């Protein structure tokens, strides 16, 4: 190697990111490189330093002062935020949440939110893929069930704490009831739904997980919600889910509300069988549906 030229691997170590991230930044034209006749990328130290300088200079105005409080924020995190590089941010979240440090996890999410990554972007583009990866690693036996539990509880704590910082629209009078049916213990999705609706001006009642169908029906009759949101990931049987949703839908219809079912219900096979007013495939779809209800109101 020519003296003064760095390999992708060396630059990745300097900037504390994966080699693929360095390649992506190079391909975007943000980081200058020299291509060897063999097609390898090589970097001049002065270009790497210039990249870091330019970047730091650029972000001074954009990043909030709270940055100094977050020891783990590096130039690479800043750059990923600025360029909305969700895979990198999701990887950082994955590592942070698996460490199980609640405060660091909250600080990281808070830093993203303070730097204009929206609540829905945080949930769908950062948290969701990180937990998909946790699921994959659990299947491959790379992480244990105790780590999955720790990560879930750490994430839940962080998103609940972040909710205090999230900007909330004024209340518009709509009432939302959110929860999971009996034997359902996946809580992160429905917590996200509850938080998004609360930020959108809904008065929310959060029932949590593992609620028997009859108790869910009692809650609908007591709170008279305009919308009922149910999250389902692992129903005991498909038939049980179909029957329970039909019962919830009937009660919701009687009180003039709408039933929204998310999670596994949005899979192509189940979608046709489940009785509901809306089965959104994403939080954005959920918001389109609920906003259409508000327009009609
Ligand atoms: C964390 C986790 C757990 C934790 C949950 C802890 C907690 N407090 O929540 C624990 C360890 C308890 C757990 C247990 C189990 N789990 Co689990 N778990 C997961 C994991 C890794 C992440 C789920 C998660 O929270 N993701 C983050 C949230 C944001 O995403 P989400 O829930 O998918 O929600 C998204 C959408 O579905 C949608 N959505 C969800 N609900 C709603 C509701 C509405 C209204 C709307 C609009 C949208 C919406 O929006 C979200 C963003 O896109 C997934 C892996 C994966 N690939 O998803 C497996 C996974 C869901 N689990 C699975 C299984 C099989 C189980 C167990 C049966 C394992 C076992 N053998 O014991 C048990 C069942 C427990 C039960 N009865 O509920 C399977 C489900 C497979 C299936 N349905 O076909 C998965 C997919 C893993 C896998 N690949 O096998 N799990």
């Amino acid at each position: 190697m020519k003296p003064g030229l760095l390999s992708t691997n060396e630059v990745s170590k300097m900037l504390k990111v994966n080699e693929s991230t360095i390649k992506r930044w190079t391909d975007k034209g943000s980081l200058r490189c020299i291509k060897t006749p063999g097609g390898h990328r090589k970097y001049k130290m002065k270009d790497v330093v210039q990249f870091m300088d330019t970047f730091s200079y650029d972000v001074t105005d954009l990043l909030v002062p709270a940055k100094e409080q977050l020891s783990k924020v590096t130039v690479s995190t800043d750059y990923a935020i600025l360029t909305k590089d969700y895979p990198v941010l999701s990887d950082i979240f994955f590592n942070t949440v698996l460490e199980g440090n609640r405060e660091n996890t909250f600080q990281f999410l808070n830093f993203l939110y303070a730097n204009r990554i929206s609540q829905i972007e945080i949930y769908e583009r950062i948290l969701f893929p990180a937990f998909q990866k946790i699921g994959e690693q659990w299947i491959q036996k790379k992480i244990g069930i105790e780590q999955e539990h720790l990560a879930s509880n750490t994430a839940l704590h962080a998103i609940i704490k972040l909710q205090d910082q999230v900007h909330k629209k004024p209340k518009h009078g709509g009432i939302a009831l959110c929860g999971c049916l009996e034997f359902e213990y996946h809580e992160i999705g429905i917590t996200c739904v509850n938080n998004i609706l609360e930020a959108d001006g809904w008065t929310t009642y959060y029932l949590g997980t593992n609620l028997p169908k009859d108790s869910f029906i009692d809650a609908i009759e007591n709170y008279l919600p305009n919308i009922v949101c149910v999250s389902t990931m692992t129903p005991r049987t498909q038939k049980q889910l179909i029957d329970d949703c039909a019962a919830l839908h009937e009660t919701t219809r009687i009180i003039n509300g709408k039933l929204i079912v998310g999670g596994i219900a949005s899979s192509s096979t189940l979608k046709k069988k489940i009785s509901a007013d809306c089965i959104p495939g994403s939080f954005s779809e959920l918001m389109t549906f609920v906003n259409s209800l508000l327009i009609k109101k």
Side-chain angles (χ1 to χ4, degrees):
M1 190 183 88
K2 263 182 154 184
L5 286 185
L6 300 161
S7 68
T8 309
N9 180 271
E10 285 166 325
V11 178
S12 81
K13 282 186 182 141
M14 275 177 68
L15 298 184
K16 300 191 183 73
V17 292
N18 295 332
E19 284 187 47
S20 57
T21 306
I22 296 295
K23 285 178 185 155
R24 203 163 50 245
W25 290 347
T26 310
D27 293 343
K28 272 188 191 170
S30 311
L31 178 59
R32 276 172 63 177
C33 84
I34 297 164
K35 282 251 171 97
T36 65
H40 295 290
R41 296 173 179 83
K42 296 286 173 203
Y43 301 83
K44 288 183 184 168
M45 180 56 101
K46 80 170 176 49
D47 287 334
V48 177
V49 171
Q50 193 186 9
F51 167 82
M52 294 173 82
D53 279 346
T54 309
F55 168 66
S56 311
Y57 176 78
D58 277 354
V59 293
T60 335
D61 292 341
L62 291 169
L63 298 179
V64 292
K67 177 187 165 187
E68 282 78 47
Q69 293 161 13
L70 185 61
S71 59
K72 284 205 166 176
V73 169
T74 62
V75 68
S76 56
T77 312
D78 291 351
Y79 189 73
I81 292 173
L82 210 59
T83 54
K84 295 214 170 186
D85 196 335
Y86 300 116
V88 168
L89 296 173
S90 186
D91 269 355
I92 298 171
F93 180 73
F94 170 84
N95 290 327
T96 312
V97 88
L98 269 178
E99 277 170 17
N101 185 319
R102 290 173 166 213
E103 189 54 25
N104 279 353
T105 308
F106 160 70
Q107 288 292 348
F108 178 64
L109 295 187
N110 193 30
F111 186 63
L112 298 185
Y113 184 73
N115 286 290
R116 301 186 186 89
I117 308 263
S118 74
Q119 184 190 37
I120 293 188
E121 284 171 312
I122 289 177
Y123 292 162
E124 285 200 327
R125 310 293 299 267
I126 293 160
L127 181 140
F128 177 66
F131 271 89
Q132 275 187 314
K133 195 167 158 186
I134 288 176
E136 282 158 20
Q137 297 220 349
W138 177 71
I139 289 173
Q140 294 162 8
K141 297 197 169 24
K142 286 186 185 160
I143 62 168
I145 189 108
E146 74 292 351
Q147 286 171 292
E148 195 184 356
H149 274 252
L150 182 65
S152 305
N153 287 315
T154 305
L156 274 168
H157 175 269
I159 59 175
I160 291 166
K161 200 166 169 196
L162 181 70
Q163 188 66 3
D164 291 341
Q165 312 298 321
V166 167
H167 170 77
K168 313 221 180 32
K169 287 187 188 165
K171 296 271 184 217
H172 46 59
I175 297 175
L177 187 68
C178 301
C180 304
L181 283 159
E182 201 168 11
F183 305 115
E184 181 60 67
Y185 292 98
H186 294 95
E187 192 168 7
I188 303 177
I190 195 67
T191 303
C192 295
V193 168
N194 187 81
N195 289 352
I196 292 168
L197 292 171
E198 190 188 45
D200 200 49
W202 293 80
T203 295
T204 62
Y205 292 100
Y206 180 65
L207 301 173
T209 57
N210 190 28
L211 188 66
K213 177 203 68 191
D214 290 343
S215 305
F216 217 128
I217 287 176
D218 288 345
I220 298 172
E221 289 170 351
N222 285 337
Y223 294 102
L224 302 176
N226 304 88
I227 55 171
V228 176
C229 295
V230 179
S231 173
T232 176
M233 298 305 293
T234 47
R236 204 146 59 144
T237 62
Q238 286 201 3
K239 184 178 179 312
Q240 180 87 61
L241 176 65
I242 293 163
D243 292 350
D244 286 358
C245 286
L248 294 188
H249 197 193
E250 179 57 15
T251 313
T252 312
R253 199 185 52 75
I254 293 168
I255 61 138
N256 230 350
K258 301 283 180 202
L259 177 68
I260 303 167
V261 186
I264 199 177
S266 68
S267 70
S268 51
T269 40
L270 266 175
K271 202 170 180 170
K272 294 180 214 119
K273 299 179 188 163
I274 287 180
S275 175
D277 296 289
C278 180
I279 304 182
S282 66
F283 294 146
S284 315
E285 248 183 72
L286 166 73
M287 294 323 285
T288 308
F289 178 73
V290 297
N291 288 332
S292 73
L293 298 178
L294 289 177
I295 292 164
K296 281 186 205 149
K297 232 172 116 183

